[in-house]
Amino acid sequence: MNNLDYGIIGNCRSAALVSKDASIDWCCLPKFDSASVFAKLLDDDIGGSFGFIVDESYTTNQFYLENTAILITRFSSGTDVFEVIDFMPRYHKSNGGYHSPPEFIRYIKYISGKPVLKVAYNPKLEYAKGVTSTYAKDDFIVSLNDEQSYDTLFLYTDLEKNAVSNGESIAITSDHFFLVGYNEKLFVPDLKYAILEFERTKVYWLNWMERTPTYKKYNEQISRSAMTLKLLSYDKTGAVLAAATTSLPETIGEVRNWDYRFCWIRDASMVIKVMSQLGHKNIARRYLDFIISLMPDKDEKLQIMYGISGEKKLTEESLDHLSGYKGSSPVRVGNAAYMQKQNDIYGILMDVIHQLLAKFSNDIENGEELWTMTKGIVWVVSKHWQEPDKGIWEFREGDQHFTFSKVLCWTAIDKALKVAKLLGKTSKIARWELLEEAIRNDIMDNAWNDKVQAFTQAYNSEDLDAAVLLMESYGFIEAKHPKFVSTVKAIERDLCYEGLLYRYKTKDDFGLPSSSFTICTFWFINSLYKIGEEQKAAEQFEKLLSYSNHLGLFSEDIDFKTKRLLGNFPQAYSHLALIETAINLSNVTPEEKVKDTLG
């Protein structure tokens, strides 16, 4: 497998990655950031997986059940056909909450003939540290690890348990099920229970998708991306994860391998903005509650990221016993970037607060807290906007005056002014307007470089940066402004390679990147569209979509030469930018408008 050919299943508590041939190669239980129970993704030999072995005559075809997060892998060998239907249960309970247990179900649907398979069930608890022992009992198969720390995993099935655990050949002549759960069940589940969980989960997703707008173009891609973003949200707290994995490298064999199972304020806020545009206000409300819970003191500075349960300390360590994805070590858990200072997060958060108050003003329960937060953000920005920081790309050495960070400081004040006007709070407007103007003038004076005819990565620099393309999106500059058009052209010349973008070409702490950061290419396509190059934008978008995996999913990066997916997966950043770009490009063309008026 030379690409990230995986589907994701989940229930807003945890997630699992399922390969093209129905092997579960990554799953953490009981929640996203727990230790893995299957981690073949990060070590082919010892990571652990749950798959099926069939003879070479079988082919597989994998797809999602339409408008759901239920994944189907169809095995076919002439007349011998069966399906593996994978999902994590999620649906509304009668008391108003959600049923989303730390478990997944594999429903084996018999189609025709006499299929034969062997079950390859090989869990390795606690990131495959120590020894995991697996035993067949009367009601279940239990796996336990009690060397370094105690952990257990339970497998329920209606197939013969010894045949399953021993990997014996099993003839499939009817439907069957597997339920893998973190907890021992109080009542032993049967096939009827598994099918009921399937039907309830299917209805949940169909109802969720029914609340998502449909578009003339790219509707399938927008829908799949929206569901993927939903799968990366953690219901219990409202946190949104950057990705479902850790340590998938930006480049094979290199060391840019990070744990993304955390909530970055920037990534999450951008996700929430897109999801609220699609009308999903519950996810937005939960996220705001999460942010409010993190800011108990009015002058407390936000960290750039938190654990999904609100943890503030995310100590980074290496799991040296794991060889890494395709041998790319180290495998990291935790993320030392939580200690960095990045001034842009205030603008991004303020942008979301403004959008939610404007869109759902009659339905926001915590307006007073949001106004308090707004005043606190302005205070922090006023004190710190002139200081250098690490920037959006989290350079691990040296602070600079990054243009993107300055623009987002301006955005924080711009959106705070809009919020003040929305709420009828006028006493601070004059003072905030002076601050907004001061930041704008500072950027216009220092970020523009006459030599390269562009806004550059940082003050007094000639280096370019794809993040600067967002100046227009945040309202700092008009799309047709000569300096913005010139910046887009300069970035195309310097950072574009065969339609894919470098984030930057500055030598960072790890040398020149050799893979494209997917979100940057979406930003670039959006910018082309905004400056009037609509046809070119559409062509580039179609090309980029062709680099997704077989299920339309994107990771963080794309290799410039081979076009294989790299980096953590699936990546929230990539999918939120896909949605924004697709919505822009799904606008009817002039020809269609003519047809509409004639018809």
Side-chain angles (χ1 to χ4, degrees), residues 283-295:
I283 190 173
R285 186 182 288 122
R286 279 194 286 266
Y287 176 67
L288 281 179
D289 287 342
F290 177 68
I291 296 297
I292 288 166
S293 73
L294 294 171
M295 297 185 72

Side-chain angles (χ1 to χ4, degrees), residues 14-16 24-32 34-40 46-50 88 102-104 121-128 132 134 143 145 151-154 180-182 261:
S14 187
I24 292 187
D25 290 353
W26 178 252
C27 181
C28 300
L29 293 174
K31 53 194 180 81
F32 291 106
S34 302
S36 61
V37 296
F38 300 108
K40 186 180 179 183
I46 68 166
S49 61
F50 177 8
M88 284 189 167
E103 62 196 36
F104 61 83
Y121 182 67
N122 183 29
K124 293 291 181 71
L125 309 184
E126 294 293 317
Y127 294 118
T132 297
T134 297
S143 301
N145 180 329
D151 206 358
T152 54
L153 189 72
F154 298 88
V180 175
Y182 184 75
R261 297 169 299 157

Side-chain angles (χ1 to χ4, degrees), residues 441-461:
N441 291 339
D442 190 70
I443 295 165
M444 295 304 284
D445 291 344
N446 294 296
W448 175 260
N449 184 295
D450 271 328
K451 184 179 174 185
V452 294
Q453 284 293 295
F455 291 104
T456 53
Q457 181 179 61
Y459 287 5
N460 305 312
S461 165

Side-chain angles (χ1 to χ4, degrees), residues 234-240 286-287 289-291 293 307-310:
Y234 182 48
D235 248 9
K236 189 175 180 182
T237 62
V240 178
R286 279 194 286 266
Y287 176 67
D289 287 342
F290 177 68
I291 296 297
S293 73
I308 60 170
S309 299

Side-chain angles (χ1 to χ4, degrees), residues 82-314:
F82 68 96
E83 291 177 345
V84 180
I85 301 175
D86 284 312
F87 64 97
M88 284 189 167
R90 178 173 173 81
Y91 51 84
H92 292 280
K93 293 193 289 193
S94 54
N95 67 3
Y98 290 93
H99 174 73
S100 52
E103 62 196 36
F104 61 83
I105 291 174
R106 318 201 75 178
Y107 168 30
I108 310 299
K109 189 173 177 64
Y110 170 75
I111 305 295
S112 64
K114 295 178 180 176
V116 175
L117 58 80
K118 294 176 182 176
V119 179
Y121 182 67
N122 183 29
K124 293 291 181 71
L125 309 184
E126 294 293 317
Y127 294 118
K129 285 187 282 198
V131 176
T132 297
S133 304
T134 297
Y135 308 97
K137 304 286 190 181
D138 289 342
D139 291 338
F140 48 71
I141 295 169
V142 62
S143 301
L144 58 109
N145 180 329
D146 59 2
E147 289 189 10
Q148 293 183 327
S149 53
Y150 173 72
D151 206 358
T152 54
L153 189 72
F154 298 88
L155 169 64
Y156 294 87
T157 181
D158 59 347
L159 289 167
E160 210 280 310
K161 291 169 189 61
N162 282 312
V164 169
S165 61
N166 295 332
E168 297 170 14
S169 292
I170 299 170
I172 301 295
T173 56
S174 61
D175 293 357
H176 295 282
F177 83 98
F178 299 92
L179 184 155
V180 175
Y182 184 75
N183 299 315
E184 183 180 346
K185 307 295 278 184
L186 296 179
F187 302 99
V188 178
D190 56 14
L191 178 63
K192 187 178 174 184
Y193 172 84
I195 293 172
L196 184 59
E197 292 288 277
F198 164 74
E199 294 292 349
R200 285 169 164 163
T201 301
K202 180 173 78 172
V203 167
Y204 166 81
W205 284 108
L206 291 173
N207 284 336
W208 192 86
M209 280 308 303
E210 205 259 333
R211 297 196 299 276
T212 306
T214 54
Y215 294 87
K216 279 189 176 181
K217 288 185 197 164
Y218 308 118
N219 191 63
E220 191 178 323
Q221 290 88 344
I222 292 169
S223 298
R224 181 54 49 203
S225 293
M227 276 184 276
T228 302
L229 294 178
K230 176 67 174 170
L231 288 173
L232 293 173
S233 66
Y234 182 48
D235 248 9
K236 189 175 180 182
T237 62
V240 178
L241 287 83
T245 55
T246 179
S247 302
L248 297 187
E250 293 179 27
T251 301
I252 301 295
E254 291 191 5
V255 296
R256 299 170 191 260
N257 316 330
W258 316 112
D259 192 346
Y260 274 18
R261 297 169 299 157
F262 301 109
C263 182
W264 271 259
I265 297 300
R266 180 194 306 108
D267 303 39
S269 297
M270 287 179 171
V271 168
I272 292 305
K273 185 179 179 184
V274 164
M275 293 297 268
S276 59
Q277 281 171 346
L278 294 175
H280 293 290
K281 61 187 176 188
N282 283 343
I283 190 173
R285 186 182 288 122
R286 279 194 286 266
Y287 176 67
L288 281 179
D289 287 342
F290 177 68
I291 296 297
I292 288 166
S293 73
L294 294 171
M295 297 185 72
D297 302 318
K298 293 180 183 178
D299 64 343
E300 181 170 344
K301 291 191 71 176
L302 270 177
Q303 291 182 192
I304 67 160
M305 59 190 290
Y306 296 87
I308 60 170
S309 299
E311 300 93 341
K312 296 184 179 182
K313 191 174 181 184
L314 308 174

Side-chain angles (χ1 to χ4, degrees), residues 326-371:
K326 308 295 182 193
S328 304
S329 60
V331 171
R332 291 181 169 100
V333 292
N335 197 311
Y338 80 92
M339 294 180 282
Q340 290 190 358
K341 184 173 96 177
Q342 295 172 18
N343 293 332
D344 63 298
I345 60 171
Y346 298 101
I348 283 164
L349 182 57
M350 203 59 244
D351 184 46
V352 171
I353 291 171
H354 167 249
Q355 189 203 18
L356 294 179
L357 281 170
K359 195 171 178 68
F360 306 126
S361 56
N362 299 328
D363 202 21
I364 293 280
E365 297 161 11
N366 37 29
E368 291 173 1
E369 283 130 315
L370 293 180
W371 176 235

